[in-house]
Amino acid sequence: MASNAAVPFWRAAGMTYITYTNLCANLVRQCLKEPYKSEALNREKVHYSVSRWVDGKPEKQTLRSDIPE
């Protein structure tokens, strides 16, 4: 049986490991000085395409981004 004393603090705070690492990465990016900060923020952008499938065939693809506009 596992002891609660060995639980990582991110788990004790109710976070997943992915949420914790994303939070840490964002904090590090915000602490960087220019030009490293803008380079790191540009690498963070993610673009992907989404297709809705109807009757086993894809409809029109749309390009999506996680970057708020």
Side-chain angles (χ1 to χ4, degrees):
M1 193 172 262
S3 170
N4 286 341
V7 173
F9 68 91
W10 52 266
R11 178 64 70 193
M15 296 178 154
T16 65
Y17 184 72
I18 297 295
T19 305
Y20 166 71
T21 56
N22 284 338
L23 178 68
C24 291
N26 286 334
L27 289 172
V28 169
R29 284 187 206 105
Q30 293 301 319
C31 292
L32 293 173
K33 293 182 180 178
E34 290 298 336
Y36 306 109
K37 183 176 185 176
S38 58
E39 291 174 8
L41 291 174
N42 283 335
R43 281 194 305 264
E44 182 185 21
K45 295 177 185 176
V46 176
H47 301 284
Y48 56 96
S49 63
V50 177
S51 295
R52 191 166 280 174
W53 289 70
V54 177
D55 297 327
K57 296 180 182 178
E59 290 184 341
K60 180 182 174 191
Q61 282 188 341
T62 54
L63 182 64
R64 302 290 306 258
S65 177
D66 69 341
I67 309 302
E69 295 177 5

